[in-house]
Amino acid sequence: MKIAIVTAFPPSKVTLTEYGYHLVKHFAQKDEISEIVLITDHTEEEKQLDFKTNNCKITVKDSWKFNSYANVVNIYKAINEEKPDAVLFNLQFMKFGDKKIPAALGLLLPMIFKLKRIPSIVLLHNILEQVDLNSAGFASNKLLQKAYNFIGTTLTKFLLKADLVAVTIQKYVEILEEKYNADNVVLIPHGSFETPPEPSFELPKGAKKVMTFGKFGTYKKVEIMIEAVEKIRKRTNENIEIVIAGTDSPNTPGYLENVKKQYAHVPNLTFTGYVEESDVPVIFNESAVVVFPYTSTTGSSGVLHQAGSYGKAVVLPDLGDLSLLVKDEGYRGEFFNPTNTASLADAIQEIITKDDYRMALGKNNYKAACSLPMETITDMYIEYFNTIAAKNAGMELVGNI
């Protein structure tokens, strides 16, 4: 099978880059896949294809740019030229831009390829019904929120024109079926990027690293984590390093640089910048705890699954999709009030001062991550593609009778 995958891909800084990398990596190792056409965004550096492909050919087509009005045309041309057997879209609502028109145009593509009878699956990482637009940094004005909700509802209807829409949380399935009367929505869990050998759960000597990982500035705010650790330092003798791993969100350029200046007086505060895929294991393995300083959630969390893969304890805001994931997939952690620094300090301290508890959480999360490896997730997509292709072939046969 020759498949096209529309996704951001390293070294891109666009959202869902890491997920796109691991999705392609695991598809390339499947005997059923002969070629992958990577429909990705333009980057100055070459794409990071540093994995075994099991004789699967990978064709890279730099076809779109963040906030470009030409994305829909360029992606259409690229896929039309390659003539894949199926197309997978790795999407969320702000995938193609943070400006309304380019973002919306890109989301019309699944419907277009459904009309061309190319089996298409949309992997939708978030739904607007579950996003707090104000906390997520999209709209604070009530009228603007209503406009976003109307646009989001309309775009969701277009996305549901695809052969299949896969979501990563069961509640999303229920919402889409009830609100849109959809019968083509399925649950395909997020999956864990890697399942390394079971770690020792012991920490390296030196400072205990309290780490957060991601793209920051909208609903991911690191100030509360820095201030929480400062509280812990004042009331304990713990040697703690604060690690901010990642970059600015595309919507908030300059955010982390401003944080650096604001907290220049804070000792043992490290900003790693962009983390290469090869360095991700090091960042996680050295950490005592992984913190999610979020004021909102916009879908399933890749970082939570990564933390589980490396056997890490986690500290989570008690809200939205993260709470659902913990319940649905068996992760455990300490929860905190996302608007309360003292609550976060208590949650972090509960883990880093109790090694037995920290290790118990890490072991549980490793077990949860191992139960849903990306290898299994890609098998599910291949099965659905085969089902869609068989259904389309049956319809053609009936039409020819």
Side-chain angles (χ1 to χ4, degrees):
M1 181 188 297
K2 177 180 179 178
I3 64 171
I5 302 178
V6 181
T7 183
F9 198 88
S12 168
K13 305 301 188 293
V14 175
T15 184
L16 300 180
T17 295
E18 291 83 5
Y19 197 91
Y21 172 88
H22 290 281
L23 200 61
V24 172
K25 174 181 176 179
H26 285 83
F27 269 120
Q29 294 166 4
K30 297 293 180 183
D31 291 336
E32 299 91 333
I33 305 299
S34 58
E35 182 177 354
I36 296 172
V37 182
L38 186 53
I39 308 293
T40 189
D41 54 327
H42 289 269
T43 55
E44 291 184 6
E45 302 91 351
E46 290 186 2
K47 296 299 185 288
Q48 190 176 323
L49 300 171
D50 55 355
F51 46 79
K52 295 179 181 178
T53 61
N54 197 27
N55 296 319
C56 175
K57 179 183 177 182
I58 297 181
T59 302
V60 177
K61 307 279 282 190
D62 284 351
S63 306
W64 55 278
K65 297 178 181 179
F66 196 73
N67 275 332
S68 170
Y69 288 79
N71 286 340
V72 64
V73 174
N74 293 335
I75 293 173
Y76 176 85
K77 286 181 178 178
I79 294 178
N80 213 34
E81 288 171 0
E82 291 294 331
K83 296 179 171 52
D85 299 309
V87 185
L88 176 61
F89 295 89
N90 179 34
L91 298 181
Q92 54 108 304
F93 278 89
M94 309 301 281
K95 176 72 173 198
F96 295 107
D98 55 11
K99 296 178 181 178
K100 299 180 188 64
I101 294 176
L105 287 174
L107 299 180
L108 299 179
L109 285 160
M111 180 186 69
I112 293 171
F113 287 105
K114 170 65 181 296
L115 294 173
K116 287 182 65 64
R117 300 185 71 84
I118 298 176
S120 60
I121 296 179
V122 171
L123 165 55
L124 189 57
H125 287 263
N126 64 352
I127 61 174
L128 209 63
E129 287 79 5
Q130 288 295 105
V131 176
D132 182 335
L133 292 172
N134 185 20
S135 297
F138 296 129
S140 56
N141 180 282
K142 294 295 182 183
L143 288 175
L144 199 54
Q145 286 182 19
K146 287 183 178 180
Y148 267 102
N149 283 323
F150 173 77
I151 295 168
T153 297
T154 304
L155 290 173
T156 300
K157 290 178 180 178
F158 283 123
L159 288 171
L160 287 167
K161 298 293 185 182
D163 288 293
L164 200 72
V165 173
V167 291
T168 57
I169 297 176
Q170 178 59 36
K171 186 175 181 181
Y172 290 5
V173 178
E174 296 164 5
I175 290 171
L176 293 174
E177 288 180 343
E178 181 177 345
K179 179 175 179 178
Y180 298 93
N181 198 28
D183 60 1
N184 63 333
V185 181
V186 297
L187 172 67
I188 299 183
H190 182 287
S192 299
F193 294 157
E194 303 290 352
T195 50
E198 184 171 351
S200 69
F201 303 102
E202 297 287 344
L203 297 178
K205 293 181 179 180
K208 293 180 179 178
K209 295 187 178 184
V210 175
M211 190 268 284
T212 187
F213 186 94
K215 293 181 173 66
F216 302 99
T218 52
Y219 62 94
K220 300 178 182 181
K221 302 281 192 178
V222 299
E223 292 93 337
I224 187 174
M225 186 176 109
I226 297 170
E227 292 170 10
V229 171
E230 284 287 82
K231 284 182 177 292
I232 299 170
R233 285 170 170 167
K234 288 178 181 177
R235 64 196 189 197
T236 73
N237 293 321
E238 292 290 343
N239 180 14
I240 305 170
E241 180 180 354
I242 306 166
V243 180
I244 314 295
T247 60
D248 295 326
S249 164
N251 298 333
T252 54
Y255 166 74
L256 287 177
E257 189 59 40
N258 289 333
V259 172
K260 282 184 190 178
K261 294 175 182 176
Q262 182 181 352
Y263 293 96
H265 63 284
V266 175
N268 280 2
L269 173 58
T270 300
F271 293 83
T272 70
Y274 177 72
V275 181
E276 299 285 349
E277 281 295 330
S278 58
D279 294 327
V280 169
V282 177
I283 289 288
F284 278 92
N285 284 327
E286 291 181 349
S287 299
V289 61
V290 180
V291 180
F292 296 73
Y294 300 175
T295 58
S296 179
T297 57
T298 61
S300 185
S301 172
V303 179
L304 176 60
H305 291 85
Q306 285 177 299
S309 295
Y310 295 105
K312 293 300 166 181
V314 295
V315 175
L316 308 160
D318 192 8
L319 51 76
D321 302 329
L322 287 176
S323 295
L324 292 173
L325 268 179
V326 168
K327 179 180 177 182
D328 291 348
E329 298 186 12
Y331 289 90
R332 286 179 57 206
E334 281 289 314
F335 286 96
F336 71 98
N337 180 336
T339 63
N340 189 304
T341 304
S343 172
L344 177 54
D346 291 344
I348 296 172
Q349 185 173 328
E350 185 71 10
I351 291 174
I352 65 171
T353 59
K354 299 177 180 178
D355 274 351
D356 288 345
Y357 181 49
R358 175 186 59 76
M359 288 191 284
L361 289 176
K363 289 175 181 178
N364 177 89
N365 293 341
Y366 177 76
K367 182 179 178 181
C370 289
S371 68
L372 287 168
M374 189 63 79
E375 179 183 1
T376 301
I377 302 306
T378 47
D379 280 337
M380 296 172 72
Y381 281 109
I382 291 170
E383 184 176 345
Y384 278 118
F385 276 132
N386 287 332
T387 300
I388 295 166
K391 179 181 177 182
N392 288 350
M395 292 174 63
E396 288 180 9
L397 181 62
V398 170
N400 291 330
I401 293 175

